[in-house]
Amino acid sequence: MLDASGLELLFTKARTPLRWTTRPVEEALLRQIYDLVRMGPTSGNCCPARIVFITGSSGREKLRPALSAGNVNRVMGAPVIAILAHDPLFFEQLPKLSPGEELRSWFAADVGLSEETAFRNGTLQGGYMIMAARALGLDVLPVSGFDQSVVEDAFLAEWGWRANFLLCLGYGDFAGQPERAPRLEFDQACRIVE
């Protein structure tokens, strides 16, 4: 079990930054994050998430037109912008990822099932990425305010991947940041059914 400091790092003290420092994020750390993400469970070990890391100015400028106006400064200031995507043809990897399970044919025969599975499990892997980045000392900003088709055309079309959300990575500048926004209590958000 994680101790209190580990829980603080991942949840109770972690904050979403509004601004970023200029401290760079090394490629080795991005690889370390992915090595943690890939170990998180997905249904049938389908692992549909695909990630494009934007680290340079040319990639940022390709991304800029896709961003909603309120997200431009926060996103463009991040040292790394990850596009969390999923591969609709993830099932082509299932013979390797789930040998002996014969899962490929289920998904290859049902586009609706494969798209739903790819989106759901790719989103799950995006959550793992948030936790992995925090566990390795980075701050994260998930972003859904962008034009999906622009991102897909600019960054994902070559592989046929579908964009889900953006995840900004770096070291936050928390000076003057307001208090954490409230969260729902257990009884407001949960039910126990016997």
Side-chain angles (χ1 to χ4, degrees), residues 56-88:
S57 58
S58 63
R60 289 171 197 286
E61 291 310 314
K62 280 173 52 178
L63 180 65
R64 184 187 295 271
L67 299 173
S68 63
N71 285 327
V72 171
N73 290 337
R74 294 196 308 166
V75 171
M76 297 297 280
V80 176
I81 306 156
I83 301 169
L84 270 292
H86 61 270
D87 185 355

Side-chain angles (χ1 to χ4, degrees), residues 4-61:
S5 63
L7 295 173
E8 288 175 354
L9 181 67
L10 295 179
F11 295 102
T12 58
K13 298 282 178 154
R15 297 291 310 274
T16 303
L18 301 177
R19 292 181 310 280
W20 302 94
T21 68
T22 57
R23 182 178 169 188
V25 175
E26 301 298 325
E27 181 179 327
L29 188 54
L30 301 179
R31 291 178 177 276
Q32 196 175 4
I33 290 168
Y34 178 73
D35 281 342
L36 293 172
V37 170
R38 71 190 184 112
M39 300 309 293
T42 56
S43 60
N45 198 38
C46 64
C47 303
R50 303 296 183 263
I51 306 163
V52 173
F53 293 103
I54 301 170
T55 60
S57 58
S58 63
R60 289 171 197 286
E61 291 310 314

Side-chain angles (χ1 to χ4, degrees), residues 44-45 93-103:
N45 198 38
Q93 297 296 326
L94 285 175
K96 172 185 176 180
L97 297 173
S98 292
E101 294 291 327
E102 301 302 327
L103 297 176

Side-chain angles (χ1 to χ4, degrees), residues 103-116:
L103 297 176
R104 183 201 172 279
S105 59
W106 290 7
F107 295 107
D110 189 335
V111 172
L113 175 65
S114 64
E115 179 59 29
E116 180 182 323

